[in-house]
Structures are given as C-alpha cells and as structure tokens.
Amino acid sequence: MDTLKQNAIRELPNLSDYRYENIFNVYQQADGKFYYNINSTVSIPDNINKNTYYTIVVNGQSPWTAISYRAYGTIELWWLIVILNKIINPLTPPNGTIKILKPEYVRSVISEIKQNL
C-alpha cells in the first residue's frame, strides 16, 4: 500500500495547498482505489507563541469559511482556525473570542502539520 499526498498522484485532481484534504496522506488499495486516513489527528500545541496569532470576537453569525475569507482571502483555511481554537464541532458557528493565525505563519504551520502526520 503506497502513501503519497494527493497532488503527487496523477489520477487525482490537484488541490490548493490550503485545502484540508491536502495535508493528509493518500493511500492506494490493491484494487486501485484511493482513500484518506480520516482517523489522523491534527492539532496545534496549546503553548503556541502569542506573537503568531491575534484574536477576534465573533457573534455566532458567521460560518468558519467566512472568518477564513476575512482573515486569509480564502475559505479554504477554515480548518486551520478550527484546529487552532480546539473546536470539536465545526458545524457550530463560532461565538466569543477566537484565535486567528497570522497570515505570515500559515505556510510554515501547514508544512509542520504535514510533516507530523
């Protein structure tokens, strides 16, 4: 069983570096079908440097994708905000103070996550 990232597999569509699916390994079964291991856990340490993020107050009216778009100019990084804030149910709109990773740290944090999965 081979493991690769999706963008390294010709038969699969190329994904943006920011897509959640792109951080996971893709496995190929003997029958040729591809799958992700959705049991992998992605986390950001509690002791992340306070200089790498800022906080905002949200009122429960905006979905994670809208917050991602305002912070990063893309809806694709919603998952990074959810993980940073240790959200268990991302279907619930955020309410209260949340952390936003500063844009200049996004690529390095995603690279670190990919290396540790």
Side-chain angles (χ1 to χ4, degrees), residues 11-55:
E11 298 89 351
L12 298 177
N14 205 22
L15 299 176
S16 158
D17 287 341
Y18 294 146
R19 291 283 296 267
Y20 187 56
E21 306 95 290
N22 204 24
I23 65 171
F24 293 103
N25 288 326
V26 177
Y27 300 86
Q28 186 172 20
Q29 299 180 125
D31 65 2
K33 293 181 182 172
F34 297 100
Y35 66 95
Y36 296 106
N37 179 358
I38 61 172
N39 291 322
S40 296
T41 301
V42 178
S43 64
I44 295 176
D46 290 332
N47 63 348
I48 186 170
N49 186 322
K50 291 182 187 218
N51 294 326
T52 62
Y53 67 88
Y54 60 94
T55 60

Short mmCIF file of all heavy atoms in Angstrom, two decimals, residues 11-55:
data_model
loop_
_atom_site.label_atom_id
_atom_site.label_comp_id
_atom_site.label_asym_id
_atom_site.label_seq_id
_atom_site.Cartn_x
_atom_site.Cartn_y
_atom_site.Cartn_z
N GLU A 11 -3.68 10.55 -11.11
CA GLU A 11 -5.08 10.21 -11.33
C GLU A 11 -6.06 11.08 -10.53
O GLU A 11 -7.25 11.07 -10.80
CB GLU A 11 -5.36 8.73 -10.97
CG GLU A 11 -4.59 7.73 -11.79
CD GLU A 11 -3.22 7.39 -11.21
OE1 GLU A 11 -2.77 8.05 -10.25
OE2 GLU A 11 -2.57 6.47 -11.73
N LEU A 12 -5.56 11.81 -9.56
CA LEU A 12 -6.41 12.63 -8.70
C LEU A 12 -6.25 14.11 -9.03
O LEU A 12 -5.18 14.53 -9.48
CB LEU A 12 -6.07 12.39 -7.23
CG LEU A 12 -6.29 10.96 -6.72
CD1 LEU A 12 -5.84 10.84 -5.28
CD2 LEU A 12 -7.74 10.54 -6.88
N PRO A 13 -7.30 14.89 -8.81
CA PRO A 13 -7.19 16.33 -9.10
C PRO A 13 -6.17 17.01 -8.20
O PRO A 13 -5.96 16.61 -7.05
CB PRO A 13 -8.60 16.85 -8.82
CG PRO A 13 -9.31 15.80 -8.08
CD PRO A 13 -8.60 14.51 -8.30
N ASN A 14 -5.54 18.04 -8.72
CA ASN A 14 -4.59 18.84 -7.97
C ASN A 14 -5.36 19.77 -7.03
O ASN A 14 -6.31 20.41 -7.45
CB ASN A 14 -3.72 19.64 -8.95
CG ASN A 14 -2.39 19.99 -8.37
OD1 ASN A 14 -1.90 19.36 -7.46
ND2 ASN A 14 -1.78 21.01 -8.93
N LEU A 15 -4.96 19.83 -5.77
CA LEU A 15 -5.64 20.66 -4.78
C LEU A 15 -4.77 21.84 -4.38
O LEU A 15 -3.55 21.76 -4.38
CB LEU A 15 -5.95 19.84 -3.52
CG LEU A 15 -6.86 18.63 -3.67
CD1 LEU A 15 -6.95 17.90 -2.34
CD2 LEU A 15 -8.23 19.04 -4.16
N SER A 16 -5.41 22.90 -3.95
CA SER A 16 -4.72 24.05 -3.38
C SER A 16 -3.94 23.60 -2.16
O SER A 16 -4.36 22.70 -1.42
CB SER A 16 -5.75 25.11 -2.98
OG SER A 16 -5.23 25.99 -2.02
N ASP A 17 -2.80 24.22 -1.91
CA ASP A 17 -2.00 23.89 -0.72
C ASP A 17 -2.79 24.10 0.57
O ASP A 17 -2.47 23.52 1.59
CB ASP A 17 -0.76 24.77 -0.67
CG ASP A 17 0.28 24.36 -1.70
OD1 ASP A 17 0.21 23.23 -2.21
OD2 ASP A 17 1.15 25.19 -2.00
N TYR A 18 -3.81 24.94 0.53
CA TYR A 18 -4.57 25.27 1.73
C TYR A 18 -5.71 24.30 2.03
O TYR A 18 -6.30 24.36 3.09
CB TYR A 18 -5.16 26.67 1.62
CG TYR A 18 -4.12 27.76 1.59
CD1 TYR A 18 -4.32 28.90 0.84
CD2 TYR A 18 -2.94 27.66 2.32
CE1 TYR A 18 -3.38 29.92 0.82
CE2 TYR A 18 -2.00 28.66 2.30
CZ TYR A 18 -2.23 29.79 1.56
OH TYR A 18 -1.30 30.79 1.54
N ARG A 19 -6.05 23.43 1.10
CA ARG A 19 -7.18 22.51 1.31
C ARG A 19 -6.86 21.52 2.41
O ARG A 19 -5.76 20.95 2.48
CB ARG A 19 -7.50 21.75 0.02
CG ARG A 19 -8.09 22.58 -1.09
CD ARG A 19 -9.56 22.88 -0.87
NE ARG A 19 -10.38 21.69 -0.87
CZ ARG A 19 -10.99 21.21 -1.94
NH1 ARG A 19 -10.88 21.79 -3.11
NH2 ARG A 19 -11.72 20.11 -1.82
N TYR A 20 -7.83 21.28 3.26
CA TYR A 20 -7.68 20.36 4.39
C TYR A 20 -7.24 18.98 3.92
O TYR A 20 -6.37 18.35 4.52
CB TYR A 20 -9.01 20.30 5.13
CG TYR A 20 -8.99 19.51 6.42
CD1 TYR A 20 -8.10 19.83 7.44
CD2 TYR A 20 -9.88 18.47 6.63
CE1 TYR A 20 -8.10 19.13 8.63
CE2 TYR A 20 -9.89 17.77 7.82
CZ TYR A 20 -9.00 18.10 8.81
OH TYR A 20 -9.00 17.40 9.99
N GLU A 21 -7.83 18.52 2.83
CA GLU A 21 -7.51 17.19 2.32
C GLU A 21 -6.04 17.06 1.91
O GLU A 21 -5.48 15.97 1.93
CB GLU A 21 -8.36 16.85 1.09
CG GLU A 21 -9.84 16.99 1.28
CD GLU A 21 -10.37 18.34 0.84
OE1 GLU A 21 -10.06 19.36 1.50
OE2 GLU A 21 -11.09 18.39 -0.15
N ASN A 22 -5.43 18.16 1.54
CA ASN A 22 -4.07 18.14 1.03
C ASN A 22 -3.02 17.91 2.11
O ASN A 22 -1.87 17.66 1.81
CB ASN A 22 -3.77 19.43 0.27
CG ASN A 22 -2.67 19.25 -0.74
OD1 ASN A 22 -2.40 18.16 -1.20
ND2 ASN A 22 -2.01 20.33 -1.08
N ILE A 23 -3.41 17.98 3.37
CA ILE A 23 -2.41 17.75 4.42
C ILE A 23 -2.26 16.28 4.76
O ILE A 23 -1.30 15.88 5.38
CB ILE A 23 -2.70 18.57 5.69
CG1 ILE A 23 -3.99 18.13 6.36
CG2 ILE A 23 -2.68 20.05 5.40
CD1 ILE A 23 -4.22 18.75 7.72
N PHE A 24 -3.24 15.46 4.37
CA PHE A 24 -3.23 14.04 4.72
C PHE A 24 -2.58 13.19 3.65
O PHE A 24 -2.61 13.52 2.46
CB PHE A 24 -4.66 13.53 4.94
CG PHE A 24 -5.32 14.14 6.13
CD1 PHE A 24 -6.26 15.14 5.99
CD2 PHE A 24 -4.99 13.72 7.41
CE1 PHE A 24 -6.86 15.71 7.09
CE2 PHE A 24 -5.59 14.28 8.52
CZ PHE A 24 -6.53 15.28 8.35
N ASN A 25 -2.02 12.08 4.06
CA ASN A 25 -1.53 11.08 3.11
C ASN A 25 -2.71 10.43 2.43
O ASN A 25 -3.78 10.26 3.01
CB ASN A 25 -0.71 10.01 3.82
CG ASN A 25 0.63 10.52 4.27
OD1 ASN A 25 1.24 11.36 3.62
ND2 ASN A 25 1.10 10.02 5.40
N VAL A 26 -2.50 10.06 1.16
CA VAL A 26 -3.49 9.31 0.41
C VAL A 26 -2.94 7.91 0.25
O VAL A 26 -1.77 7.72 -0.08
CB VAL A 26 -3.75 9.95 -0.98
CG1 VAL A 26 -4.72 9.12 -1.79
CG2 VAL A 26 -4.26 11.37 -0.82
N TYR A 27 -3.75 6.92 0.51
CA TYR A 27 -3.36 5.53 0.42
C TYR A 27 -4.06 4.89 -0.77
O TYR A 27 -5.18 5.26 -1.10
CB TYR A 27 -3.74 4.78 1.70
CG TYR A 27 -3.09 5.35 2.92
CD1 TYR A 27 -3.67 6.41 3.61
CD2 TYR A 27 -1.88 4.86 3.38
CE1 TYR A 27 -3.07 6.96 4.73
CE2 TYR A 27 -1.27 5.40 4.50
CZ TYR A 27 -1.87 6.45 5.17
OH TYR A 27 -1.26 6.99 6.28
N GLN A 28 -3.39 3.96 -1.40
CA GLN A 28 -4.00 3.24 -2.53
C GLN A 28 -4.12 1.77 -2.16
O GLN A 28 -3.14 1.13 -1.78
CB GLN A 28 -3.18 3.41 -3.81
CG GLN A 28 -3.87 2.82 -5.00
CD GLN A 28 -3.16 3.14 -6.31
OE1 GLN A 28 -1.99 3.50 -6.32
NE2 GLN A 28 -3.89 3.02 -7.40
N GLN A 29 -5.32 1.28 -2.28
CA GLN A 29 -5.59 -0.12 -2.00
C GLN A 29 -5.17 -0.98 -3.19
O GLN A 29 -4.94 -0.47 -4.29
CB GLN A 29 -7.08 -0.34 -1.72
CG GLN A 29 -7.56 0.45 -0.53
CD GLN A 29 -9.03 0.24 -0.27
OE1 GLN A 29 -9.36 -0.14 0.82
NE2 GLN A 29 -9.89 0.47 -1.24
N ALA A 30 -5.14 -2.28 -3.00
CA ALA A 30 -4.76 -3.22 -4.06
C ALA A 30 -5.69 -3.11 -5.27
O ALA A 30 -5.26 -3.31 -6.41
CB ALA A 30 -4.77 -4.64 -3.52
N ASP A 31 -6.95 -2.74 -5.04
CA ASP A 31 -7.90 -2.62 -6.16
C ASP A 31 -7.77 -1.30 -6.90
O ASP A 31 -8.52 -1.01 -7.82
CB ASP A 31 -9.34 -2.82 -5.68
CG ASP A 31 -9.80 -1.73 -4.72
OD1 ASP A 31 -9.04 -0.78 -4.43
OD2 ASP A 31 -10.95 -1.83 -4.24
N GLY A 32 -6.81 -0.45 -6.50
CA GLY A 32 -6.55 0.81 -7.19
C GLY A 32 -7.30 2.01 -6.63
O GLY A 32 -7.05 3.13 -7.05
N LYS A 33 -8.19 1.82 -5.69
CA LYS A 33 -8.95 2.93 -5.12
C LYS A 33 -8.09 3.68 -4.10
O LYS A 33 -7.28 3.10 -3.41
CB LYS A 33 -10.22 2.41 -4.45
CG LYS A 33 -11.21 1.84 -5.44
CD LYS A 33 -12.46 1.37 -4.76
CE LYS A 33 -13.39 0.78 -5.81
NZ LYS A 33 -14.54 0.14 -5.20
N PHE A 34 -8.31 5.00 -4.05
CA PHE A 34 -7.57 5.87 -3.14
C PHE A 34 -8.44 6.24 -1.94
O PHE A 34 -9.66 6.34 -2.06
CB PHE A 34 -7.16 7.16 -3.85
CG PHE A 34 -6.21 6.93 -5.00
CD1 PHE A 34 -6.68 6.91 -6.31
CD2 PHE A 34 -4.86 6.73 -4.78
CE1 PHE A 34 -5.82 6.70 -7.37
CE2 PHE A 34 -3.99 6.52 -5.83
CZ PHE A 34 -4.48 6.50 -7.13
N TYR A 35 -7.80 6.46 -0.79
CA TYR A 35 -8.54 6.91 0.38
C TYR A 35 -7.62 7.69 1.32
O TYR A 35 -6.40 7.58 1.26
CB TYR A 35 -9.19 5.73 1.12
CG TYR A 35 -8.20 4.77 1.75
CD1 TYR A 35 -7.84 4.89 3.08
CD2 TYR A 35 -7.63 3.74 1.00
CE1 TYR A 35 -6.93 4.02 3.66
CE2 TYR A 35 -6.73 2.87 1.58
CZ TYR A 35 -6.38 3.01 2.90
OH TYR A 35 -5.48 2.16 3.46
N TYR A 36 -8.25 8.50 2.17
CA TYR A 36 -7.56 9.23 3.23
C TYR A 36 -7.75 8.47 4.54
O TYR A 36 -8.77 7.82 4.74
CB TYR A 36 -8.18 10.62 3.46
CG TYR A 36 -8.09 11.56 2.31
CD1 TYR A 36 -9.22 11.86 1.55
CD2 TYR A 36 -6.90 12.20 2.01
CE1 TYR A 36 -9.15 12.77 0.50
CE2 TYR A 36 -6.83 13.10 0.96
CZ TYR A 36 -7.96 13.38 0.21
OH TYR A 36 -7.89 14.26 -0.81
N ASN A 37 -6.80 8.60 5.43
CA ASN A 37 -6.98 8.07 6.78
C ASN A 37 -7.60 9.20 7.60
O ASN A 37 -6.92 10.07 8.11
CB ASN A 37 -5.65 7.65 7.38
CG ASN A 37 -5.80 7.13 8.79
OD1 ASN A 37 -6.90 7.11 9.34
ND2 ASN A 37 -4.70 6.73 9.38
N ILE A 38 -8.93 9.17 7.74
CA ILE A 38 -9.62 10.25 8.46
C ILE A 38 -9.49 10.12 9.98
O ILE A 38 -9.96 10.97 10.71
CB ILE A 38 -11.10 10.35 8.05
CG1 ILE A 38 -11.84 9.06 8.37
CG2 ILE A 38 -11.23 10.74 6.59
CD1 ILE A 38 -13.33 9.15 8.17
N ASN A 39 -8.83 9.07 10.43
CA ASN A 39 -8.59 8.92 11.86
C ASN A 39 -7.34 9.66 12.32
O ASN A 39 -7.06 9.71 13.51
CB ASN A 39 -8.49 7.44 12.24
CG ASN A 39 -9.81 6.73 12.10
OD1 ASN A 39 -10.84 7.30 12.42
ND2 ASN A 39 -9.79 5.51 11.62
N SER A 40 -6.59 10.23 11.38
CA SER A 40 -5.42 11.02 11.76
C SER A 40 -5.88 12.25 12.54
O SER A 40 -6.91 12.84 12.24
CB SER A 40 -4.65 11.47 10.52
OG SER A 40 -4.14 10.37 9.84
N THR A 41 -5.10 12.62 13.52
CA THR A 41 -5.44 13.78 14.33
C THR A 41 -4.49 14.93 14.01
O THR A 41 -3.28 14.75 13.94
CB THR A 41 -5.32 13.43 15.83
OG1 THR A 41 -6.18 12.34 16.11
CG2 THR A 41 -5.69 14.60 16.70
N VAL A 42 -5.08 16.10 13.81
CA VAL A 42 -4.30 17.30 13.56
C VAL A 42 -4.49 18.22 14.75
O VAL A 42 -5.62 18.45 15.19
CB VAL A 42 -4.78 18.02 12.28
CG1 VAL A 42 -4.00 19.31 12.06
CG2 VAL A 42 -4.67 17.11 11.07
N SER A 43 -3.39 18.70 15.30
CA SER A 43 -3.51 19.61 16.45
C SER A 43 -2.39 20.64 16.41
O SER A 43 -1.36 20.44 15.78
CB SER A 43 -3.50 18.84 17.76
OG SER A 43 -2.26 18.19 17.93
N ILE A 44 -2.65 21.71 17.08
CA ILE A 44 -1.66 22.77 17.26
C ILE A 44 -1.45 22.86 18.77
O ILE A 44 -2.42 22.90 19.54
CB ILE A 44 -2.16 24.11 16.68
CG1 ILE A 44 -2.31 23.98 15.16
CG2 ILE A 44 -1.21 25.24 17.04
CD1 ILE A 44 -2.88 25.19 14.46
N PRO A 45 -0.20 22.90 19.23
CA PRO A 45 0.07 22.91 20.67
C PRO A 45 -0.61 24.08 21.39
O PRO A 45 -0.79 25.16 20.81
CB PRO A 45 1.58 23.03 20.76
CG PRO A 45 2.10 22.65 19.43
CD PRO A 45 1.02 22.95 18.44
N ASP A 46 -0.96 23.87 22.63
CA ASP A 46 -1.57 24.92 23.44
C ASP A 46 -0.61 26.08 23.68
O ASP A 46 -1.02 27.21 23.85
CB ASP A 46 -2.01 24.37 24.81
CG ASP A 46 -3.19 23.44 24.69
OD1 ASP A 46 -3.99 23.59 23.74
OD2 ASP A 46 -3.32 22.55 25.55
N ASN A 47 0.69 25.78 23.68
CA ASN A 47 1.68 26.81 24.00
C ASN A 47 2.22 27.52 22.76
O ASN A 47 3.36 27.98 22.75
CB ASN A 47 2.83 26.19 24.81
CG ASN A 47 3.59 25.13 24.03
OD1 ASN A 47 3.14 24.69 22.97
ND2 ASN A 47 4.73 24.72 24.55
N ILE A 48 1.39 27.64 21.72
CA ILE A 48 1.81 28.36 20.51
C ILE A 48 2.18 29.80 20.89
O ILE A 48 1.54 30.42 21.74
CB ILE A 48 0.71 28.32 19.43
CG1 ILE A 48 1.22 28.92 18.12
CG2 ILE A 48 -0.56 28.95 19.89
CD1 ILE A 48 0.29 28.72 16.94
N ASN A 49 3.23 30.29 20.28
CA ASN A 49 3.73 31.64 20.56
C ASN A 49 2.63 32.68 20.31
O ASN A 49 2.02 32.71 19.25
CB ASN A 49 4.94 31.91 19.66
CG ASN A 49 5.61 33.22 19.97
OD1 ASN A 49 4.97 34.23 20.28
ND2 ASN A 49 6.93 33.22 19.87
N LYS A 50 2.39 33.52 21.28
CA LYS A 50 1.32 34.53 21.18
C LYS A 50 1.58 35.56 20.08
O LYS A 50 0.65 36.25 19.66
CB LYS A 50 1.14 35.23 22.52
CG LYS A 50 0.56 34.30 23.56
CD LYS A 50 0.32 34.98 24.88
CE LYS A 50 -0.07 33.94 25.87
NZ LYS A 50 -1.03 34.24 26.80
N ASN A 51 2.80 35.65 19.61
CA ASN A 51 3.10 36.58 18.51
C ASN A 51 2.69 36.03 17.15
O ASN A 51 2.74 36.74 16.16
CB ASN A 51 4.60 36.90 18.48
CG ASN A 51 5.02 37.68 19.70
OD1 ASN A 51 4.26 38.48 20.24
ND2 ASN A 51 6.23 37.43 20.16
N THR A 52 2.28 34.75 17.09
CA THR A 52 1.93 34.14 15.81
C THR A 52 0.43 34.21 15.50
O THR A 52 0.00 33.80 14.43
CB THR A 52 2.36 32.66 15.76
OG1 THR A 52 1.66 31.93 16.77
CG2 THR A 52 3.86 32.52 15.93
N TYR A 53 -0.36 34.73 16.43
CA TYR A 53 -1.79 34.84 16.18
C TYR A 53 -2.34 36.12 16.80
O TYR A 53 -1.70 36.79 17.59
CB TYR A 53 -2.55 33.62 16.73
CG TYR A 53 -2.53 33.49 18.24
CD1 TYR A 53 -3.50 34.11 19.02
CD2 TYR A 53 -1.56 32.74 18.88
CE1 TYR A 53 -3.50 33.99 20.41
CE2 TYR A 53 -1.55 32.61 20.26
CZ TYR A 53 -2.53 33.24 21.01
OH TYR A 53 -2.51 33.13 22.37
N TYR A 54 -3.55 36.46 16.39
CA TYR A 54 -4.29 37.56 17.01
C TYR A 54 -5.68 37.03 17.35
O TYR A 54 -6.04 35.92 16.95
CB TYR A 54 -4.36 38.79 16.09
CG TYR A 54 -5.03 38.56 14.75
CD1 TYR A 54 -6.39 38.82 14.58
CD2 TYR A 54 -4.31 38.10 13.65
CE1 TYR A 54 -7.00 38.61 13.35
CE2 TYR A 54 -4.91 37.90 12.42
CZ TYR A 54 -6.26 38.17 12.28
OH TYR A 54 -6.87 37.97 11.06
N THR A 55 -6.44 37.77 18.10
CA THR A 55 -7.78 37.32 18.48
C THR A 55 -8.82 38.27 17.91
O THR A 55 -8.56 39.46 17.68
CB THR A 55 -7.94 37.24 20.01
OG1 THR A 55 -7.73 38.53 20.58
CG2 THR A 55 -6.99 36.23 20.62
#
